[in-house]
Amino acid sequence: MKINDIRKAYQDFFESKGHKIVPSAPMVVKNDPTLMFTNAGMNQFKDFFLGYNETKDKRIANTQKCLRVSGKHNDLEEVGVDTYHHTMFEMLGNWSFGDYFKKDSIDWAWELLTKVYKIDTDRIYVTVFKGDEQDGVPADTESENLWKQYMPADRILQASKKDNFWEMGDTGPCGPCSEIHVDMRDEADRKKIDGKTLVNNDHPQVIEIWNLVFMQFNRKANGELEKLPATHVDTGMGLERLAMVLQGKKSNYDTDMFQFLIQHLVELTGKKYGADEVTDIAMRVIVDHIRAISFSIADGQLPSNTGAGYVIRRILRRAVRYGYQALGLKEPFLCDLSVKLGQAMGDAFPELRTQGELIQKVIREEEASFFRTLETGIKRINDLITKAKAEGKNELAGADVFELYDTFGFPFDLTSLIARENKILVDERGFEVELAKQKDRSRAATQVESDDWVILMNDDQQEFIGYDFLHTELYIVKYRKVKQKNKEFYQLVFNITPFYAEGGGQVGDQGTLTSKDETIRSS
Ligand code: SER
């Protein structure tokens, strides 16, 4: 099955089980201070789980663009080095909001995997939550018994909170989960080592493909769990990993999702894929990153020097750096890849087509500017090396190397490589010290801590009246305290509001809130 057929089969299956199929939410999050990017399919439904908002559709399914490069779920360092992590990936998901729970969720997962996708039943392992005393949550024997209908007990593994209690972030909806793993190794390898010993052990061919989360709690800011008003289901299956399994490949990058991009790089560089580790990692990094970059720009997030924009800029530069260092690319190359990506994925995600021109223009400019940075950096390093040698030193000072990295955006490992080629050392410890200082500075600047919402009245309809009225009397439905950059402020939710929210590249409305005792200006 091709990637587009796999995605469609998932949606058709859950539509036949009474689910409404909805579009992916944007990957860049604008209205949740606890998140920078969508990191799971459930993000857009957070308020339904918490009971702050209600949906008339109790069953929903979709494919969600996710990015895991910051916060609690961050896979960046693994990407490209291994063959099954990604910055951006598609998460196929089905949700129940106070409707079905463990039984249907497990029955349907089994039916879809074994009857529709036809995965060998004896390659499947599942994990269930073994309970956690500290949180006061018991072992999930119900899921264990449900799985026993389908597989021998020795394929059902108990797992701890680390792997089998899913939380969106430090606070928010959470619950025990049951993961489905598939063993894709050859018969000979499977005979030598029992697959169950490799589950959750970072084996590239024994991988988790689907996570069924049974949402039951809200993790509060003080770390305690409180029961949600109802129980819900939140499942997420990595489409790229599923494609690897269904296409019988050993790596996500060997599927039709990535191969056309890799082939483009092969033609461009004249290097083979699969012959040399350094080349392979570089090609994987690039074809992974081009998706994260293109989709973020399509969702309105341009590369910049702060916040989400800075994350995207760093991903783009990481891709350019791998191309430059490992593949010998000296001119912009990402832009052409984004064109190819738009052609391949534009049916499933039309924003890649409608925003195509913008995506290409932004990537071309960013890339060209970073190539100039590389050139300037190389010139500067050469000056530093000449100066150090003239002074009889055999080391580049940590502070100089850090300045290259921080002010000029020049990557540290490239500095090391050039220094080595010139038979001079780099004061790595001095660099690390400067880096740690800078990280502390930026952590203090970007940390966002939000308290739990304080609910003042039960009203889940927030009505926007700003097209007709600029003043109104209103009630505060709920509020919470948020701390950022050492400043405290409050977020208020009203029953009706004339304020248009920030979104679609526009800043939100500002105004005043007047009560009996005071007048406050919004910020
Ligand atoms: N939220 C869960 C996850 O991201 C299941 O969708 O794994």
Side-chain angles (χ1 to χ4, degrees), residues 377-395:
I378 288 168
K379 192 170 167 299
R380 216 177 146 77
I381 294 180
N382 287 337
D383 290 347
L384 288 173
I385 292 173
T386 312
K387 186 166 154 261
K389 285 192 171 163
E391 288 169 0
K393 295 183 185 149
N394 69 343
E395 190 176 71

Side-chain angles (χ1 to χ4, degrees), residues 12-57:
D12 289 349
F13 179 83
F14 280 103
E15 200 165 25
S16 80
K17 306 287 182 198
H19 290 65
K20 180 175 178 187
I21 309 301
V22 302
S24 169
M27 201 161 71
V28 184
V29 178
K30 291 286 184 203
N31 56 1
D32 185 340
T34 66
L35 275 184
M36 211 178 244
F37 298 103
T38 297
N39 64 12
M42 52 71 69
N43 293 168
Q44 63 169 319
F45 307 122
K46 183 175 160 186
D47 282 358
F48 300 155
F49 292 131
L50 293 173
Y52 297 158
N53 212 339
E54 259 192 49
T55 164
K56 62 179 186 345
D57 303 301

Side-chain angles (χ1 to χ4, degrees), residues 317 370 373-385 396-412 414-416 418 426 431:
R317 290 182 169 187
F370 190 54
T373 300
L374 291 177
E375 256 174 53
T376 320
I378 288 168
K379 192 170 167 299
R380 216 177 146 77
I381 294 180
N382 287 337
D383 290 347
L384 288 173
I385 292 173
L396 297 181
D400 285 340
V401 175
F402 182 74
E403 191 196 22
L404 262 170
Y405 164 81
D406 190 45
T407 312
F408 297 94
F410 199 79
F412 175 77
L414 201 48
T415 304
S416 301
I418 296 171
V426 169
F431 173 81

Side-chain angles (χ1 to χ4, degrees), residues 170-172 218-224 449-452 481:
D170 294 332
T171 58
N218 176 25
R219 175 83 65 191
K220 301 204 300 180
N222 66 5
E224 280 173 17
E449 287 169 31
S450 354
D451 277 1
D452 297 320
K481 190 156 78 177

Side-chain angles (χ1 to χ4, degrees), residues 40 42 68 91 166 211 213 234-236:
M42 52 71 69
R68 290 196 170 172
M91 189 185 273
W166 198 84
N211 189 12
V213 183
D234 154 36
T235 88

Side-chain angles (χ1 to χ4, degrees), residues 311-356:
V311 175
I312 302 307
R313 174 163 282 167
R314 278 181 43 215
I315 294 176
L316 186 144
R317 290 182 169 187
R318 190 167 187 258
V320 172
R321 179 161 58 86
Y322 273 92
Y324 181 87
Q325 270 175 276
L327 304 181
L329 293 167
K330 301 282 181 268
E331 280 172 14
F333 57 92
L334 286 174
C335 182
D336 288 347
L337 278 174
S338 86
V339 174
K340 295 231 171 269
L341 184 75
Q343 287 160 356
M345 295 190 77
D347 284 344
F349 297 96
E351 63 270 33
L352 286 184
R353 293 223 171 101
T354 52
Q355 301 294 323

